[in-house]
Amino acid sequence: MIQITVKDTELSNAALEGMDEFLAVVIQGIRKAIGGEPTPETLGQLNADQMTLLCWDTLHQEVMEGGFIQLIHNGYGTYIFKNPFAKAVGKMWGMRELSKRLYEVHTLWLQNREELERDYSDDEFMALYERYPQFDDYDDWFVENEEELTEHIAHYVDEHLDSFVTVE
């Protein structure tokens, strides 16, 4: 396992600013320790909670910016749907509704993966949103519940901080 440390002052200051900032310090600490974006080799150096948090970060960034279609088109389908992320957030982190919806989007991904992951021009990519309206409800649910989901994750990380980082 890789040693991940964050400074107490950074974490404390971020916590005072809010849950997003608190999570950002922890996530940045993990990303710094693995050299940026996770690879199969670096993921093997992380524990389940650390891997789950990195998956959340990717999911959160992609879906908030462009929905599940963007997440899939940008090549994160395998990263999110082919590892135990949905199971971890559902069973270990107590986020059953998110888990349920991720399993449903996983099914849509499997059905439409080939077309959604192709290279497209910007206009062709934007047309995917019209061709695949079945993702709209999942995008809307995520955006509408983003604050509550983030708050739940921040509380989980705070309550299990030693599973994520060492504070120095």
Side-chain angles (χ1 to χ4, degrees):
M1 288 297 197
I2 193 167
Q3 181 69 18
I4 301 168
T5 59
V6 296
K7 294 190 183 303
D8 184 44
T9 54
E10 285 182 45
L11 198 59
S12 298
N13 290 339
L16 292 173
E17 291 181 40
M19 62 190 168
D20 292 319
E21 292 78 5
F22 169 77
L23 285 175
V25 169
V26 176
I27 291 165
Q28 288 168 3
I30 296 169
R31 287 190 184 279
K32 182 180 176 186
I34 63 168
E37 286 298 311
T39 65
E41 295 78 31
T42 59
L43 281 176
Q45 299 173 19
L46 301 176
N47 66 36
D49 276 336
Q50 292 163 335
M51 284 187 268
T52 301
L53 186 58
L54 287 183
C55 281
W56 161 258
D57 186 47
T58 299
L59 174 76
H60 181 257
Q61 287 178 30
E62 292 292 318
V63 174
M64 290 303 290
E65 186 176 305
F68 282 98
I69 286 176
Q70 176 178 302
L71 176 130
I72 293 165
H73 179 73
N74 285 345
Y76 293 111
T78 300
Y79 181 56
I80 298 297
F81 303 121
K82 285 294 190 182
N83 74 48
F85 174 64
K87 182 178 181 180
V89 295
K91 291 187 178 187
M92 295 170 50
W93 291 22
M95 302 175 77
R96 285 176 177 69
E97 187 62 25
L98 174 60
S99 178
K100 175 183 169 252
R101 290 176 186 268
L102 288 171
Y103 282 118
E104 291 169 1
V105 175
H106 177 219
T107 299
L108 292 174
W109 171 65
L110 288 173
Q111 293 168 349
N112 304 290
R113 176 181 184 180
E114 191 173 306
E115 186 165 348
L116 290 172
E117 292 178 349
R118 280 192 199 129
D119 286 334
Y120 292 106
S121 69
D122 288 344
D123 289 341
E124 291 169 329
F125 169 73
M126 293 308 290
L128 291 174
Y129 290 97
E130 291 180 29
R131 278 205 315 261
Y132 294 97
Q134 59 268 45
F135 287 95
D136 290 349
D137 289 341
Y138 297 103
D139 294 343
D140 292 345
W141 179 87
F142 191 91
V143 170
E144 290 166 8
N145 291 280
E146 181 271 338
E147 190 171 322
E148 180 182 318
L149 294 168
T150 301
E151 182 178 352
H152 185 100
I153 288 174
H155 284 293
Y156 182 88
V157 170
D158 188 38
E159 291 170 6
H160 302 88
L161 192 58
D162 59 342
S163 292
F164 295 92
V165 296
T166 300
V167 180
E168 49 178 42

